[in-house]
Amino acid sequence: MTYQLETATHPETLRRVAIDPVSRVEGHGKVTILLDDQNKVHQVRLHIVEFRGFEKFIQGRPYWEVPVMVQRLCGICPVSHHLAASKALDIIVGARKLTPAAEKLRRLMHYGQMLQSHALHFFHLCSPDLLFGFDSDVTQRNIVGVAMAHPETAKRGVLLRKFGQEVIRVTAGKRVHGTGAVPGGMNKSLTVAERDELLKDVYHIIQWSRDAVHLIQKVHTQDPGLYNSFGIFRSNFMSIVGHNGDLDFYHGTLRARDDNGKMIFDGVDYQQYDKYIEEEVRPWSYMKFPFFKSIGKEHGWYKVGPLARVQNCNQISTPFAEHERKEFVDYAGGTPMHAPLAYHWTRMIEMLHAAEVIKELLHDDDLLSNDLMVEGERRIGEPIAPGAVTRRQPFVAPAEVRRDLAHEQVQLSHFDAVLLHDLVGRQRAHGDALPDLAGDVLIDEAVIEQIAQHLRDTGDGERGAHEGLRRARYSSSGRVSRTAGLGLFFGAAGSGAAM
């Protein structure tokens, strides 16, 4: 199969300008522009040049490894990937509802990450352009120039990010690529000393966040001709919203609006996202191109991130951030703002909200509780006839861990299933090896083949275990119980996660 890389007419006659790499972004990319002799632009593309492959290489891995593995997608926002995978795997271990301590600790971790990531983006990456102007001297238009010309602003940017990183450290174990969230809950709580250390600084963090909102508001309103129109494009919006339509970063339902603010869908369970969203791939970028199925790929694409979230919610639950949200909505005249430079304003509103939520959570004694893990009945899928095998395409984690984990749904009864620690993805015939089995459990297809082969080798599935194999008991009720001394195990696979 061949793909046409260029869509411009007669690209061989056009001049190519490449910006490679794109600087001051979280990730790797390049921009290519095709122009004619009159400098008229015929084609512009943003290329995401990183091939990641996470969707494939997590297949067959022990499930408890996935939250730690997928966060390697990014060194700046690893917590988002870490929590998305943990939430997906909560479903597998039957943790439909976490303990209050685990839920709040995860929220604290995530809001710490939002604060530090937003501070990094605004102060380190964007403030040189915003404070000096896009056409200013490049020798000054950088973070060193900001530190020299605006030392207090630069200092606050560093300390804001440092505080967010400390929140992540005390909840996840370390500042980057921590291990705090596990399927079923958390593996550590806060100590009194850790909580008190964060409480010492949190009120300064809130005030500095308020000042950051006012800084970007001033920059934006002093030059509305630029900031309201530069690079503007209209599109749909999508985000999650929490209880009563509140702004929420950790959990909620999907809400989408069109470019005029009219609702497209609302209250959609994120596990059902693939009924509403489809992905397109194009040959010149590793980035996916998602769109709303109901509208189609030509016009169904949509904005996400701060500009979408702040305009998509009904309100923000914390007072300072809600006040600033209303100021932004009033400035936009009650209609959706589509200007890309407005992302900075809404990003600082979100940073302020994150700081306020962190303060609220730090006053909650549940953070000190050791009631961190929960187990329960696994209720994934509908019962099927004994011995039947059907393929299903599960939801794992939007944008982070996509739908490449194919699983099989089978019926099992009481027996010790032999599971490989590292699985090979064989998919050959195994139905004849699983006769007369009852109970509804989801098992990875590679596991099915390994079980089938073991039953063929041993006759009863309980003898002949080899080095590197682990055992787990599956009951007809679907409950998974751990074999003593083995800790967590791999075998069952299901679906679920959050944005």
Side-chain angles (χ1 to χ4, degrees), residues 255-269:
R255 172 182 287 180
R257 300 179 189 269
D258 67 15
D259 62 335
N260 293 311
K262 181 180 178 182
M263 201 73 72
I264 299 174
F265 56 75
D266 193 15
V268 171
D269 184 345

Side-chain angles (χ1 to χ4, degrees), residues 191-482:
T191 65
V192 173
E194 289 170 335
R195 180 196 63 183
D196 292 348
E197 188 65 25
L198 292 173
L199 277 171
K200 279 195 320 183
D201 296 324
V202 72
Y203 293 96
H204 292 299
I205 297 301
I206 291 173
Q207 184 57 53
W208 293 344
S209 299
R210 295 182 71 187
D211 292 343
V213 177
H214 299 154
L215 171 63
I216 186 56
Q217 182 180 21
K218 179 181 178 181
V219 169
H220 197 112
T221 55
Q222 281 181 340
D223 193 356
L226 171 66
Y227 281 83
N228 293 345
S229 61
F230 179 82
I232 193 168
F233 62 96
R234 301 182 66 86
S235 74
N236 309 297
F237 296 90
M238 192 185 76
S239 69
I240 63 168
V241 292
H243 181 65
N244 292 328
D246 286 359
L247 176 69
D248 201 299
F249 302 145
Y250 175 74
H251 190 74
T253 56
L254 297 178
R255 172 182 287 180
R257 300 179 189 269
D258 67 15
D259 62 335
N260 293 311
K262 181 180 178 182
M263 201 73 72
I264 299 174
F265 56 75
D266 193 15
V268 171
D269 184 345
Y270 52 74
Q271 295 186 59
Q272 305 299 317
Y273 86 101
D274 56 349
K275 295 182 180 178
Y276 297 83
I277 298 169
E278 192 169 331
E279 288 180 339
E280 183 185 11
V281 294
R282 297 182 186 177
W284 42 269
S285 178
Y286 286 118
M287 180 174 64
K288 303 288 183 67
F289 294 82
F291 59 90
F292 296 139
K293 288 183 177 181
S294 61
I295 301 177
K297 64 182 181 181
E298 290 299 320
H299 303 288
W301 47 280
Y302 50 91
K303 291 183 180 75
V304 294
L307 190 61
R309 288 190 293 258
V310 168
Q311 297 189 100
N312 218 4
C313 67
N314 295 344
Q315 63 273 323
I316 299 178
S317 61
T318 54
F320 292 142
E322 171 62 2
H323 173 78
E324 300 300 341
R325 184 194 70 85
K326 289 179 177 177
E327 289 277 316
F328 178 80
V329 171
D330 288 345
Y331 177 83
T335 59
M337 170 75 78
H338 291 276
L341 292 178
Y343 267 94
H344 301 306
W345 190 345
T346 52
R347 182 172 286 108
M348 291 300 93
I349 294 172
E350 288 194 341
M351 186 176 75
L352 173 58
H353 173 56
E356 291 184 277
V357 170
I358 289 169
K359 184 220 35 170
E360 293 176 356
L361 287 169
L362 289 175
H363 285 286
D364 193 324
D365 286 342
D366 279 341
L367 297 182
L368 309 177
S369 170
N370 288 320
D371 184 17
L372 300 176
M373 295 293 294
V374 66
E375 295 180 0
E377 298 285 339
R378 295 174 56 256
R379 301 292 187 187
I380 305 173
E382 297 296 326
I384 56 177
V389 178
T390 60
R391 181 177 301 279
R392 56 186 280 133
Q393 187 79 348
F395 174 87
V396 179
E400 282 91 5
V401 186
R402 299 216 182 253
R403 294 164 290 163
D404 290 317
L405 287 175
H407 298 89
E408 301 292 342
Q409 187 168 3
V410 299
Q411 304 295 318
L412 301 173
S413 65
H414 298 271
F415 75 99
D416 279 348
V418 180
L419 307 178
L420 281 176
H421 181 71
D422 295 308
L423 297 166
V424 225
R426 297 189 295 168
Q427 304 175 14
R428 292 186 289 110
H430 47 260
D432 58 341
L434 297 172
D436 304 319
L437 299 175
D440 184 17
V441 170
L442 285 175
I443 301 292
D444 185 275
E445 58 190 275
V447 178
I448 296 173
E449 174 59 21
Q450 296 298 331
I451 293 171
Q453 187 59 52
H454 184 70
L455 291 174
R456 296 186 193 105
D457 293 344
T458 64
D460 61 6
E462 295 187 355
R463 299 189 303 272
H466 306 292
E467 182 180 356
L469 299 182
R470 299 188 176 207
R471 291 179 181 272
R473 178 173 295 280
Y474 294 84
S475 72
S476 57
S477 67
R479 178 180 292 278
V480 181
S481 60
R482 302 174 187 174

Side-chain angles (χ1 to χ4, degrees), residues 39 51 136 177 179 196 423 440:
N39 286 328
F51 174 74
S136 60
H177 299 151
T179 59
D196 292 348
L423 297 166
D440 184 17

